[in-house]
Amino acid sequence: RVCAAGSGRIAVFELSQSNIDTPLLSCRLDSEQAGALVTFEGRVRNSNEGKPVLRLEYEAYELLARKEGELIMQEALQKFAVIAVQCVHRTGLLHIGEVAVWVGVLSAHRGDAFDACRYIIDNIKGRVPIWKREYYVDGSVEWVNCAECAKQSPDHANRTESKSVEKNATGHKIPESNTEQNAQGVRS
């Protein structure tokens, strides 16, 4: 969904299977009333907690993710003196260096733009049901940073994709029977 600038206060949340075009997104956030545009890019890095990462994959519960993402955008409009807020989060397979999430906030003043940007990314990461699976150099695969989303979908927290992984996303040991069951492909 794309909203034209100048049509009032704008709030947009999107999920995307495609690369995020950050210059295009920044250009879309434009207003003669704006004195500040603050953006945030979350990128795929090559390690996590000391383990070398090859790539990662994001999976979302799309209906709920869109609903919660849009709610967060509306909350930002209500809490901060901003003109427009936008967030795009990737799903699917991503490689090192790719943008996984982008947030843009347009405001008359930088303070409100910075505060709203932090509010949005913190709440997207904490509330939106998007799960991250990391593929490591050693061949193991693990769901990570799923603690909040696991409360909404416990099956996700206990899945593993490789016999070399013996912990779930929250760091708890998985009993052997669960490991075998999960390796067979429990899907949400």
Side-chain angles (χ1 to χ4, degrees), residues 24-40:
L24 176 63
L25 291 170
S26 292
C27 285
R28 287 183 182 167
L29 292 178
D30 191 21
S31 169
E32 291 180 359
Q33 300 169 340
L37 170 61
V38 171
T39 64
F40 169 80

Side-chain angles (χ1 to χ4, degrees), residues 102-180:
W102 182 90
V103 177
V105 179
L106 194 63
S107 180
H109 303 285
R110 68 180 181 274
D112 291 316
F114 278 113
D115 293 344
C117 191
R118 176 176 284 280
Y119 176 85
I120 292 167
I121 191 60
D122 287 350
N123 280 278
I124 293 297
K125 290 191 65 72
R127 293 169 41 191
V128 177
I130 298 173
W131 299 277
K132 179 169 69 171
R133 181 177 10 206
E134 289 186 341
Y135 295 79
Y136 301 105
V137 172
D138 67 7
S140 64
V141 179
E142 187 172 291
W143 291 98
V144 295
N145 299 332
C146 296
E148 289 299 313
C149 293
K151 292 175 188 174
Q152 297 173 29
S153 179
D155 281 350
H156 245 296
N158 294 321
R159 290 196 289 176
T160 61
E161 302 294 323
S162 165
K163 290 188 178 181
S164 64
V165 178
E166 298 180 36
K167 293 182 181 181
N168 67 13
T170 58
H172 296 95
K173 294 251 184 217
I174 299 171
E176 186 63 31
S177 61
N178 283 352
T179 302
E180 290 171 10

